[in-house]
Amino acid sequence: MSQTVRWISRNNSKPGRAARGDHIVVHAAPTWTRQTEDLEPEAVAEELWAEVSHALNLPPVRPAQMVAHLWRHAYVDTPLGETFLFAREHMVGVAGDWCRGRLAEHAFESGAYLGNAIVDALT
């Protein structure tokens, strides 16, 4: 892949999603994002689509809709290194991808483990 694009997903291919049309989600690489965070979202979307088209050798098509959103603090440089945090004496906890890594799977695992800890504390 390029140094611009980190991840591409064909979102409509997930189970239970509408079968008509394609819905592509593109995550930009963190370094490129930091270098271009002041650009207008439309310019970001255009540049990312150009990179995706090139990387996937797509015909010259333009999506019906393109939207770019900057999640300024979405990427975790250094995860916490713990699955979750839970203060049993106060019955309060926190979980998220930032605990274990940077992926949605990390957020799911973190939340599931915290949920189990809460259930254990209540029994």
Side-chain angles (χ1 to χ4, degrees):
M1 190 85 35
S2 71
Q3 297 212 353
T4 302
V5 176
R6 186 179 132 245
W7 182 83
I8 303 170
S9 170
R10 188 169 166 241
N11 222 30
N12 58 294
S13 68
K14 295 177 181 177
R17 301 290 170 105
R20 60 174 196 222
D22 283 318
H23 183 190
I24 308 297
V25 176
V26 180
H27 289 199
T31 302
W32 183 84
T33 299
R34 287 185 185 107
Q35 293 169 351
T36 59
E37 66 183 20
D38 293 329
L39 291 179
E40 292 297 320
E42 295 80 15
V44 170
E46 291 286 346
E47 189 164 341
L48 285 176
W49 182 248
E51 287 291 325
V52 168
S53 296
H54 176 73
L56 299 179
N57 199 28
L58 297 176
V61 297
R62 189 180 191 299
Q65 180 181 13
M66 291 193 299
V67 177
H69 178 76
L70 174 63
W71 285 316
R72 193 174 306 277
H73 305 291
Y75 187 77
V76 178
D77 290 323
T78 307
L80 179 65
E82 301 288 334
T83 304
F84 61 90
L85 298 176
F86 180 58
R88 187 182 189 107
E89 62 276 9
H90 301 291
M91 293 299 287
V92 66
V94 294
D97 59 344
W98 57 272
C99 293
R100 296 184 47 96
R102 65 177 194 260
L103 304 175
E105 291 84 356
H106 296 137
F108 177 84
E109 291 168 355
S110 180
Y113 284 114
L114 175 58
N116 289 337
I118 292 169
V119 168
D120 289 346
L122 294 172
T123 58

